Amino acid sequence: MNRHNNNSSFTTTAGDTTMQSALIKKTLGMATMLAASFLAQHSFAQSANCSYSISNEWNTGATGAITITNTSTTAINGWNIGWQYTTNRLSSSWNATVSGSNPYAATNLAWNGTIQPGQSVSFGFQVDKRGGSAERPTVTGSICGGSVSSTPASSSAPASSARSSSSPIALSSSASSRSVASSSIASSPASGQQCNWYGTLYPLCVTTQSGWGYENNKSCISRTTCTSQPAPYGVVGGGSSVASSIALSSSSAPSSVAPSSSSIGSSIGSSVASSIAPSSSSIRSSSSVASSAASLSLKALADFPIGVAVRAGSEANSVLGSSQQQSVLFQHFDQLTAENIMKMSYMHPSETTFSFANADALVDFARQNGLSVHAHALIWHEDYQVPNFMKSYSGDFPAMLKTHVQTIAAHFSGKVASWDVVNEAIAENSDGNAVNGFRNSVFYQKMGVNFIDQAFIWANEADPVADLYYNDFNTETNDAKTTRMLNLVDGLKARGVPIDGVGFQMHVLPDWPSIANIEASFRAVAQRGLKVKITELDVRVNNKYNSSAPVYTSLTTAAAAAQAERYRQIVAAYLRAVPAAQRGGITVWGTWDAQSWFASDPDWPLLFDNNFQPKPALQGFANGLTGQ
Ligand code: XIL
């Protein structure tokens, strides 16, 4: 049962016989014509259940979603629906092309037009209540009953009339791919309780003890993670109306929930709701892979996070100001990582200064748009990232490092899904300065391997719910460095250190490491019961370390095809080696080639080209997810 939808949505179902027979009984003039007209449309391919739901309401406005569920046995290819308010008016929308100024019409975007039997598509909206309560109008359209009409978007349309999906808005995440769809309640305990996660309802996990879970192909939040949120969020329902428990008044809704006027996001990544996942398989059916890149959505094909690294704060190309990036982000990804701004020196520039404003803005942006955050990184040796005061610290180094870890981890507790707690502590195979196989960093010099143990212990104390990862590069090689990484995690586990998983950066070359070695490395970690996350995936087309490798000075068709195949194989290896419950997800290290830290090599390692157009690599990634 979906308590949320039952309590807050009005639904038009196919074959509304009461209305039909009432109309048939009318025998005179215009009434007969209207009835005939209605029936003509009503009987045309009535194939969907169309619902209008409110997810969040405050004094002057509300947000919600319209969900179209294909109840027929054939695919819906393209949709067009409509609705009309008495008092409310639309102020923005996302993930659909909306026209009119009451009544309104909405049609699909390129990537969410196909709805397979039993599957759902949602798009979101925000309304101005204009002094009324949040209305729940009937949704009409040939697929769900009734006709669609919309007033032309004329010059009389108010300035706040519906914006297109690319318009910037800020809102809560009711329509995210993790939103509560009717069958996603399967993961909730029998109590009927759910998790109100900063204004969005998610199922509570049944077996996952902490953090986010992906049980039965559905996203869920563990009870401990859910209850770690500040009031008024947390576990709701189970006897009382869930809907009413999330209808936050403006006085109780923090600004991060009530839509703000600051324009920081354009669309919720609704795509195909999570309810479409078959419960018996962790991979979506390959038939759901659309043939064209425009209709692809990576996150709709996976039951684990699909992430991307983004820039923010004062960096050039901040995702917060780029509608092109946001468009790609919301279509394909449901998790983000700060490429830089959550690293040590950004957040802790001097001993007594912590600087969270930029990271807070990014985390809020993620939360408002239904994205989770993988945070990177609490401790990293890289010289420019070690705050200067730490390099020459003469006081109690462990105490100082504990303050560093715990101040940051506590600040983001409940707001990030996971942390790279320690990044790149293991020495390269060729590192002449290595000590016992570890990088001779200031942290190792001061504390030995204990800095790693303590970092996890401290992070766990400050944020007991986030998944805690050890992250490194060239550990997917199945060679001596992989062995040192495995020895480290074995030692951590033997000492009872709270580590949840291993992050493989995976900045790989076109021909190295081999897929067999990558798979074996993943498998070795998975066999230890830890989560495996690909944290920074990019696939270069040049191997500048191999003089006999081809040299590409542009992304040729051949190079792009080879890169696509490499992406496919890596994703497929991940699925083969890592059991569903241990998949921490796959994150690509940037959205489009121009953002890549290898762009100046030159190279083109990402999924979208310099014009944000999908590359063959995107389809390769998708094919890896679907087993094609
Ligand atoms: C890189 C960023 O992509 C660059 O923008 C920055 O100049 C340097 O750091 N391993 C990591 C990441 O863990 O933090 C690095 O990110 C890439 C290598």
Side-chain angles (χ1 to χ4, degrees), residues 311 339-340 343 376 380 384 423-424 471 505 507 536 589 597:
R311 294 183 181 168
E339 186 178 347
N340 290 303
K343 292 172 181 172
H376 171 84
W380 188 25
Y384 85 102
N423 193 30
E424 302 181 359
N471 194 52
Q505 292 186 9
H507 299 290
E536 305 181 15
W589 203 240
W597 67 312

Side-chain angles (χ1 to χ4, degrees), residues 357-552:
N358 289 334
D360 283 347
L362 182 64
V363 170
D364 282 350
F365 163 81
R367 195 166 65 195
Q368 287 163 348
N369 290 288
L371 308 163
S372 61
V373 174
H374 173 70
H376 171 84
L378 288 170
I379 298 180
W380 188 25
H381 75 94
E382 188 68 44
D383 187 61
Y384 85 102
Q385 269 306 319
V386 179
N388 282 333
F389 81 90
M390 285 192 193
K391 293 178 193 168
S392 54
Y393 198 75
S394 57
D396 183 340
F397 194 91
M400 178 276 294
L401 197 61
K402 178 179 182 181
T403 300
H404 166 83
V405 168
Q406 295 206 321
T407 304
I408 296 172
H411 181 85
F412 293 102
S413 177
K415 298 179 181 174
V416 300
S418 45
W419 268 107
D420 288 333
V421 177
V422 176
N423 193 30
E424 302 181 359
I426 296 165
E428 281 289 85
N429 293 339
S430 57
D431 184 348
N433 296 321
V435 189
N436 302 324
F438 289 95
R439 194 181 293 279
N440 192 12
S441 66
V442 63
F443 310 107
Y444 195 88
Q445 288 166 13
K446 296 285 188 181
M447 297 175 66
V449 72
N450 199 35
F451 93 83
I452 303 175
D453 290 37
Q454 289 303 322
F456 278 89
I457 292 166
W458 294 328
N460 183 57
E461 286 171 1
D463 184 348
V465 297
D467 279 344
L468 304 180
Y469 283 87
Y470 174 76
N471 194 52
D472 214 326
F473 67 99
N474 288 359
T475 42
E476 71 282 9
T477 47
N478 198 28
D479 67 2
K481 185 166 184 182
T482 310
T483 301
R484 289 197 292 281
M485 178 270 289
L486 295 171
N487 288 341
L488 169 65
V489 298
D490 285 345
L492 293 172
K493 282 170 65 76
R495 296 190 290 274
V497 173
I499 178 173
D500 295 297
V502 169
F504 291 85
Q505 292 186 9
M506 302 272 305
H507 299 290
V508 299
L509 294 164
D511 51 0
W512 183 90
S514 71
I515 293 298
N517 281 334
I518 291 171
E519 184 172 342
S521 304
F522 291 161
R523 210 177 281 283
V525 171
Q527 283 168 348
R528 286 162 164 78
L530 293 170
K531 292 189 177 179
V532 177
K533 187 173 180 71
I534 299 179
T535 51
E536 305 181 15
L537 181 61
D538 49 31
V539 177
R540 278 163 282 178
V541 302
N542 285 313
N543 182 347
K544 64 183 180 185
Y545 308 103
N546 177 357
S547 56
S548 58
V551 177
Y552 296 104

Side-chain angles (χ1 to χ4, degrees), residues 16-253:
D16 190 335
T17 52
T18 307
M19 289 180 70
Q20 283 181 351
S21 52
L23 285 166
I24 289 168
K25 285 173 188 163
K26 292 185 183 294
T27 54
L28 296 174
M30 184 62 79
T32 305
M33 289 169 60
L34 285 172
S37 162
F38 179 85
L39 285 171
Q41 294 168 43
H42 204 57
S43 59
F44 172 70
Q46 287 184 344
S47 53
N49 182 322
C50 304
S51 70
Y52 181 108
S53 61
I54 296 294
S55 58
N56 193 15
E57 183 179 353
W58 59 101
N59 278 356
T60 57
T63 54
I66 289 177
T67 300
I68 304 166
T69 302
N70 185 347
T71 53
S72 76
T73 53
T74 56
I76 292 171
N77 292 308
W79 42 267
N80 176 29
I81 55 94
W83 71 103
Q84 184 169 10
Y85 300 107
T86 304
T87 306
N88 297 173
R89 292 293 182 271
L90 213 56
S91 51
S92 62
S93 64
W94 51 98
N95 285 342
T97 299
V98 175
S99 59
S101 54
N102 199 46
Y104 300 95
T107 58
N108 59 279
L109 301 178
W111 56 273
N112 63 4
T114 300
I115 315 176
Q116 298 294 339
Q119 298 181 354
S120 301
V121 164
S122 294
F123 68 91
F125 57 79
Q126 181 180 328
V127 293
D128 178 352
K129 296 191 330 192
R130 305 207 323 170
S133 56
E135 294 171 39
R136 292 165 173 83
T138 300
V139 180
T140 60
S142 61
I143 56 169
C144 41
S147 63
V148 175
S149 63
S150 65
T151 56
S154 67
S155 56
S156 64
S160 62
S161 67
R163 284 176 279 168
S164 76
S165 60
S166 60
S167 299
I169 52 167
L171 40 96
S172 67
S173 56
S174 64
S176 80
S177 59
R178 284 178 172 160
S179 69
V180 181
S182 55
S183 66
S184 63
I185 295 301
S187 294
S188 280
S191 65
Q193 292 180 321
Q194 292 175 267
C195 178
N196 177 0
W197 181 256
Y198 297 101
T200 302
L201 286 179
Y202 295 95
L204 279 170
C205 298
V206 176
T207 57
T208 301
Q209 295 302 308
S210 73
W212 288 81
Y214 292 87
E215 298 162 7
N216 300 324
N217 293 314
K218 310 293 187 296
S219 296
C220 61
I221 300 180
S222 67
R223 185 173 288 272
T224 50
T225 298
C226 183
T227 52
S228 71
Q229 301 165 90
Y233 309 115
V235 175
V236 297
S240 63
S241 160
V242 173
S244 64
S245 67
I246 66 160
L248 306 169
S249 69
S250 60
S251 59
S252 66

